[in-house]
Amino acid sequence: MYLNLRTPGRRSRVAAGSAVATAVALGLLSACGQSSHPSSTGAGAIKPGPGQHQMAGMPGATGPGNTAGSAPGTSPMPSMSMPMSPPSTGAAAAPVAGDAVAIKNFAFSPATLKVKVGTTVTWTNQDTDAHTVTSAGSGGPLRSAALNTHATYSYTFTKPGTYSYLCTIHPFMTATVEVTR
């Protein structure tokens, strides 16, 4: 048995990322009916577990429009389509009043918080990865250390304005606090 006693570092993160990318690619191929497995209908076919039901389009399903019952050369799910992006409602998310921001699923929630001058806002990290709360641009007031799981950061807003911030570890995570009198 081999036990890896190294401190996790760049190589292990890169290897993990590569493994995840491979698993996602295989999952997408399987979901699109392009399974890399030689057979999905024989003795080794995927079958639902206890309390689960065979659904149309699942490997091993039979009947019209299903993988095992489709005629050769026809699409197993001809009417299925997958949107490339979530449907847009046409309006941006409305600001939410309150004094707390949750950091979960690699996002700040709410994305826009509306508070009055003098309000102390507290951010709580609910993810397993560390995040920061840092003003976008230079010179802003928000400057947290890396917040581990369940850690918090608080800041009292003393001037009206719009305060944009982000996570410096994951810069795609952005949000705004709107402070009014």
Side-chain angles (χ1 to χ4, degrees):
M1 175 182 210
Y2 174 75
L3 181 60
N4 183 358
L5 298 176
R6 297 189 293 136
T7 302
R10 180 163 168 62
R11 282 190 182 160
S12 63
R13 280 188 230 123
V14 169
S18 178
V20 169
T22 301
V24 168
L26 289 174
L28 288 174
L29 286 174
S30 294
C32 294
Q34 303 296 319
S35 175
S36 61
H37 294 78
S39 171
S40 62
T41 59
I46 299 172
K47 296 184 177 29
Q52 298 176 332
H53 304 285
Q54 187 76 36
M55 298 182 68
M58 287 179 65
T62 59
N66 296 316
T67 308
S70 296
T74 62
S75 171
M77 293 181 273
S79 64
M80 185 167 198
S81 65
M82 180 176 262
M84 295 306 290
S85 60
S88 174
T89 60
V96 175
D99 63 357
V101 177
I103 305 170
K104 59 184 176 184
N105 299 322
F106 289 87
F108 295 105
S109 181
T112 303
L113 181 68
K114 192 170 205 145
V115 300
K116 300 276 187 195
V117 169
T119 302
T120 299
V121 175
T122 301
W123 288 261
T124 303
N125 184 7
Q126 298 174 4
D127 275 342
T128 55
D129 285 28
H131 296 291
T132 68
V133 177
T134 308
S135 293
S138 60
L142 303 173
R143 287 184 219 95
S144 78
L147 303 173
N148 291 319
T149 304
H150 304 298
T152 62
Y153 170 71
S154 295
Y155 180 80
T156 302
F157 290 91
T158 58
K159 296 179 184 175
T162 299
Y163 297 83
S164 297
Y165 62 94
L166 55 86
C167 169
T168 56
I169 301 168
H170 310 100
F172 59 88
M173 294 174 55
T174 61
T176 305
V177 176
E178 294 177 1
V179 182
T180 58
R181 292 197 186 277

